[in-house]
Amino acid sequence: MRIVTWNVNSIRSRESRLLAWLTAHQPDVLCLQELKLEDALFPHAAIEALGYRAVTHGQKSYNGVAILSRHEITDVTRTLDDGVADDQARLIAGTILGVRVVCVYVPNGSEPDSDKYAYKLAWLKRLRAWFEREGAADRPMVLCGDMNVAPDGRDVARPAEWDDTVLCLPEVRKSLQHVLDWGLTDAFRQHRPEAGLYSWWDYRGGGFERNNGLRIDHIFATRALTSIDAFVDRNERRGEKPSDHVPLGVVFTGI
DNA sequence: ATGGTTGCTTAGCAA
């Protein structure tokens, strides 16, 4: 079973690329982030024509997540369900072939001294609490999405430019690690230990041309799942109107 | 270099 995560940065701007990528690669599951549109505008027909169904949690202009699957999706949830007043569409989860798939768009956090950064740290804490209530580490679960965190130095091409930012500060790395400590491992890193594999390059300042990349998109899994390979599709950053993120995937067995 | 680019929405915000 191949599970892929991809921040498309507006599904309307990326629809032709998305359909072409799905046709070429045909993963079992594709988790999308930053749809930037309401659910009523989601292009279900075009996706269903390729043999996929989709469950979505969208909102106008910002955020928005979806799970596309070649298989049935059941028990869909769209909230951290912790009583916190929060209208940002950043999570959707569903069960596919017995695997609980959790697709998230973690807040970026803007600047370290901002309210947005405080919201990011709080959101990661709420995500950990959600796993404590929702799941069990001995059950098959996958957490994937744009985590807006580069876990360590191997994930950053130019650490001097990024170490003091909301993607790399020790505090935010610890916050992500705290989620993992619930019972998840970095399935991509398990198969690709080398430095220099990135999932995002800033549009600004020729980020891709200078290969000023970071690995901030991730696929984490519980020990109940076995994976055999992982990949990142760097080529998707080339050509006309790419997203600033590329698809990143893991191949699981026994499902 | 407090810059740079893209997307949503239309001047300014978010990333």
Side-chain angles (χ1 to χ4, degrees), chain A residues 3-106:
Chain A
I3 299 183
V4 176
T5 183
W6 187 11
N7 179 326
V8 291
N9 185 18
S10 166
I11 198 160
R12 280 178 292 200
S13 284
R14 224 64 61 205
E15 183 172 340
S16 62
R17 272 201 180 246
L18 169 64
L19 298 176
W21 195 91
L22 266 182
T23 301
H25 295 90
Q26 304 193 17
D28 294 278
V29 176
L30 177 58
C31 292
L32 302 178
Q33 302 86 36
E34 281 209 89
L35 307 179
K36 295 188 173 183
L37 86 179
E38 299 160 83
D39 284 338
L41 300 175
F42 189 87
H44 282 282
I47 285 164
E48 285 167 10
L50 299 182
Y52 288 83
R53 68 214 72 194
V55 292
T56 66
H57 183 195
Q59 80 181 75
K60 183 180 166 69
S61 306
Y62 303 111
N63 309 316
V65 287
I67 301 173
L68 280 50
S69 172
R70 300 173 64 79
H71 317 283
E72 187 183 8
I73 308 172
T74 60
D75 301 309
V76 177
T77 58
R78 295 176 171 83
T79 167
L80 287 167
D81 194 30
D82 56 6
V84 175
D86 189 343
D87 57 3
Q88 299 192 28
R90 296 185 176 276
L91 179 144
I92 189 166
T95 301
I96 301 166
L97 301 178
V99 180
R100 192 75 176 143
V101 177
V102 185
C103 170
V104 299
Y105 175 45
V106 174

Side-chain angles (χ1 to χ4, degrees), chain A residues 110-129:
Chain A
S110 190
E111 298 294 326
D113 60 354
S114 68
D115 291 346
K116 291 188 175 67
Y117 184 57
Y119 172 72
K120 178 184 195 173
L121 297 178
W123 201 92
L124 285 165
K125 190 173 286 187
R126 293 168 62 202
L127 182 62
R128 159 77 190 229

Side-chain angles (χ1 to χ4, degrees), chain A residues 143-155:
Chain A
L143 170 63
C144 55
D146 177 359
M147 311 288 171
N148 268 313
V149 181
D152 65 57
R154 291 174 293 174
D155 303 313

Side-chain angles (χ1 to χ4, degrees), chain A residues 135-165:
Chain A
D138 60 354
R139 292 218 311 244
M141 296 186 76
V142 173
L143 170 63
C144 55
D146 177 359
M147 311 288 171
N148 268 313
V149 181
D152 65 57
R154 291 174 293 174
D155 303 313
V156 187
R158 291 168 167 74
E161 288 184 30
W162 295 97
D163 277 354
D164 295 334
T165 73

Side-chain angles (χ1 to χ4, degrees), chain A residues 125 128 132 173-182:
Chain A
K125 190 173 286 187
R128 159 77 190 229
E132 289 171 4
R173 283 175 164 162
K174 282 192 196 112
S175 295
L176 181 64
Q177 184 58 47
H178 185 59
V179 177
L180 288 163
D181 288 344
W182 170 80

Side-chain angles (χ1 to χ4, degrees), chain A residues 186-194 226-230 250-251:
Chain A
D186 186 336
F188 178 87
R189 188 51 93 195
Q190 202 175 335
H191 300 284
R192 305 301 302 267
E194 66 269 38
T226 303
S227 59
I228 55 169
D229 198 10
V250 169
V251 183

